[in-house]
Amino acid sequence: MSEPLAQHLRRLRRTGRRADALALLDTACAQRPKDATLARWAWQHQAFWWEPVQGRTVRLRRRGPIDAALLRRCWGDRDFMQRFHRLAKPLPADDGALHEALLREYWAIPEESGALHWTIERQGRGCGFISVVEWSLPQRRAEFLIGLPEPEGWTAIEAAHLAIQWLAQRAAVERLSACFYANNLAAQRQAGHLGFETEGVLRGHFREPDGRRTDLHLAGLLLNLDFFRRTQALRQRLLGAEVAVKP
């Protein structure tokens, strides 16, 4: 598929014309029904990628420019970032530049960015983030990150199950991985409760500012029928009506 078409689709999305981009792709798919790239792009332009994901008490919505203040507050919280993402790039100092970066992020499709970012909302207030990164569409796998600066009761576990269910049902993800800093024992325990299984340790993976090297713990989760059967009762309690997930 030509780069000019990809650029045109990006311009349409960046100006809020996702539906026009999808219409263009639908026409192209009708003309070239065996073109796998066109079909894949059309799938990634469907409305559901940008629609909020509503749970019982939590809502996930695509992170965008309206989250600039929350993002600055979280990135400025050293304790939070030590737990969430120590290697996160600094935010642009200029508010206009941050707005543009978040706009690009909001309208990106996974094939371009390899990521999807949600803001976690509870009672209409943004309280944290879920990020799906290192996304391989052909391999149907991605890395899962969740971070809330303040304890929010069951918010984190509900948001995580809401995202995992959506990723399996709508985005065809079959495997998630997660990485944890050695001293973040709470996150490792919570991941275990979600169903992630420990898979190994990267010894001395990070070099701290003071020169010490620290480990990174790895865990994985297969989003198969066994996982959804095991977690069915909890998800019904957290999310309400059960959503069927195909194997």
Side-chain angles (χ1 to χ4, degrees), residues 130 144-146 154-165 176-178 180 186-197 219-223 226-228 230-232 234-235 238-239:
I130 287 179
F144 188 82
L145 297 88
I146 181 169
W154 283 84
T155 296
I157 193 74
E158 179 181 347
H161 274 290
L162 190 63
I164 288 170
Q165 184 167 274
L176 291 173
S177 61
F180 307 99
Q188 294 178 48
R189 286 195 299 270
Q190 290 170 359
H193 294 326
L194 279 172
F196 282 87
E197 297 183 7
L221 173 62
L222 290 178
L223 305 185
D226 180 61
F227 165 74
F228 286 101
R230 284 188 285 108
T231 60
Q232 180 177 0
L234 176 59
R235 284 182 299 108
L238 290 171
L239 308 180

Side-chain angles (χ1 to χ4, degrees), residues 7-202:
Q7 292 176 354
H8 183 51
L9 293 170
R10 281 194 290 270
R11 285 193 295 269
L12 289 174
R13 294 197 310 272
R14 282 288 308 278
T15 54
R17 299 170 62 191
R18 179 207 57 82
D20 290 340
L22 178 58
L24 176 63
L25 285 165
D26 284 344
T27 299
C29 286
Q31 295 171 347
R32 302 173 60 179
K34 295 184 179 181
D35 192 313
T37 299
L38 284 174
R40 192 173 65 247
W41 285 3
W43 175 62
Q44 291 176 83
H45 281 75
Q46 297 295 322
F48 70 81
W49 291 96
W50 287 272
E51 292 171 347
V53 186
Q54 184 65 55
R56 180 169 281 175
T57 66
V58 166
R59 185 173 81 145
L60 307 180
R61 57 169 176 76
R62 285 286 290 262
R63 194 168 74 188
I66 65 172
D67 298 302
L70 175 62
L71 209 65
R72 287 204 186 281
R73 187 162 65 249
C74 290
W75 258 237
D77 185 335
R78 185 178 181 278
D79 289 340
F80 169 69
M81 294 305 292
Q82 283 290 104
R83 301 190 307 271
F84 181 58
H85 193 348
R86 295 181 188 178
L87 298 183
K89 295 180 180 179
L91 299 178
D94 178 72
D95 286 343
L98 178 57
H99 181 280
E100 285 299 310
L102 288 170
L103 190 64
R104 287 194 301 272
E105 173 187 293
Y106 180 85
W107 285 115
I109 59 175
E111 186 165 328
E112 291 176 346
S113 64
L116 175 64
H117 304 277
W118 281 300
T119 295
I120 304 170
E121 278 190 347
R122 185 180 178 90
Q123 298 178 342
R125 177 181 64 87
C127 58
F129 303 109
I130 287 179
S131 291
V132 185
V133 300
E134 302 295 331
W135 195 331
S136 170
L137 293 177
Q139 293 296 319
R140 299 192 178 191
R141 65 172 183 246
E143 181 182 341
F144 188 82
L145 297 88
I146 181 169
L148 289 86
E150 302 294 336
E152 297 276 347
W154 283 84
T155 296
I157 193 74
E158 179 181 347
H161 274 290
L162 190 63
I164 288 170
Q165 184 167 274
W166 186 93
L167 289 166
Q169 182 202 25
R170 305 308 300 268
V173 173
E174 297 175 347
R175 172 184 159 84
L176 291 173
S177 61
C179 302
F180 307 99
Y181 304 109
N183 62 350
N184 195 351
L185 300 179
Q188 294 178 48
R189 286 195 299 270
Q190 290 170 359
H193 294 326
L194 279 172
F196 282 87
E197 297 183 7
T198 301
E199 295 184 337
V201 179
L202 296 178

